[in-house]
Amino acid sequence: KLYEEEYIENNLIKEKDTKINYIIVTAELDNGFELHMKTPTADLKESAKISNQVLIAIGSVIIIISGILASVISNKFAKPILELRDIAQEMSKLNFRKKYNVEKGNEDEINNLGKSINMMSDKLENTIKQLKSSNIELEKDIEQKSKIDEMRKQFISDVSHELKTPIALIQGY
């Protein structure tokens, strides 16, 4: 053990001749001698400047790498959500061909949402097909009823005409 902490003194001095700043560290040793160390502050300032430059460079590199990693990770999460948005937009245009590719063995919320959208798309497609076929049947029924109504009107007109002729002859006699 060369020194004890409570015996260390630091002094900052400036030599008048050279106008150089020095730090003088004085410590009392266990054997009663004093240890004096004189170091110019310019060297310390240069070391601090280099350390700061290195820290800034390392910090910049870390910030750039962090930005790239954040971008990659956010794209990983955003890509399926954007795909689901596109599918929903297509569904709003009644286009049900586009489906979400569900990853096997991955039971996260996005995959569950994709499965739900796929099921909803299938159900909507089937319902619209049923509505279209029902609509076609209704149009056929309406057309058939209008033909029947037209035939009824024609029949009434023919019967009326056929009955008017004998009645007019009878009235004439």
Side-chain angles (χ1 to χ4, degrees), residues 46-104:
E46 185 66 27
S47 295
K49 182 179 177 184
I50 291 171
S51 294
N52 287 340
Q53 289 174 344
V54 168
L55 287 174
I56 289 172
I58 289 172
S60 300
V61 168
I62 288 173
I63 288 172
I64 290 170
I65 290 172
S66 298
I68 292 170
L69 283 174
S71 176
V72 168
I73 290 171
S74 68
N75 282 339
K76 182 183 178 202
F77 288 111
K79 185 179 177 183
I81 293 171
L82 293 175
E83 184 180 350
L84 288 171
R85 182 201 62 192
D86 293 342
I87 291 170
Q89 285 176 345
E90 289 298 315
M91 285 173 59
S92 71
K93 296 174 189 174
L94 301 179
N95 179 5
F96 302 105
R97 282 184 233 124
K98 194 170 184 180
K99 302 289 183 194
Y100 182 74
N101 295 325
V102 179
E103 295 177 17
K104 302 284 184 192

Side-chain angles (χ1 to χ4, degrees), residues 3-142:
Y3 63 88
E4 296 203 16
E5 254 184 66
E6 61 255 13
Y7 296 110
I8 296 175
E9 292 181 23
N10 294 328
N11 293 317
L12 179 64
I13 64 166
K14 184 175 190 177
E15 283 190 356
K16 292 181 182 178
D17 299 344
T18 60
K19 296 196 181 201
I20 297 175
N21 290 330
Y22 290 98
I23 292 180
I24 297 178
V25 178
T26 304
E28 187 175 326
L29 302 175
D30 287 340
N31 58 8
F33 291 105
E34 284 189 354
L35 174 68
H36 298 281
M37 291 183 6
K38 182 178 175 182
T39 304
T41 59
D43 293 340
L44 296 173
K45 286 180 182 178
E46 185 66 27
S47 295
K49 182 179 177 184
I50 291 171
S51 294
N52 287 340
Q53 289 174 344
V54 168
L55 287 174
I56 289 172
I58 289 172
S60 300
V61 168
I62 288 173
I63 288 172
I64 290 170
I65 290 172
S66 298
I68 292 170
L69 283 174
S71 176
V72 168
I73 290 171
S74 68
N75 282 339
K76 182 183 178 202
F77 288 111
K79 185 179 177 183
I81 293 171
L82 293 175
E83 184 180 350
L84 288 171
R85 182 201 62 192
D86 293 342
I87 291 170
Q89 285 176 345
E90 289 298 315
M91 285 173 59
S92 71
K93 296 174 189 174
L94 301 179
N95 179 5
F96 302 105
R97 282 184 233 124
K98 194 170 184 180
K99 302 289 183 194
Y100 182 74
N101 295 325
V102 179
E103 295 177 17
K104 302 284 184 192
N106 190 356
E107 292 297 320
D108 63 359
E109 290 81 9
I110 293 176
N111 268 342
N112 290 337
L113 179 62
K115 285 178 191 177
S116 298
I117 286 180
N118 287 345
M119 287 189 317
M120 182 173 61
S121 173
D122 292 339
K123 287 182 181 180
L124 280 172
E125 186 175 21
N126 290 335
T127 303
I128 288 174
K129 283 180 183 177
Q130 287 175 352
L131 283 172
K132 283 181 180 179
S133 66
S134 296
N135 198 15
I136 290 171
E137 287 179 29
L138 278 174
E139 285 177 358
K140 287 178 182 178
D141 287 346
I142 290 172

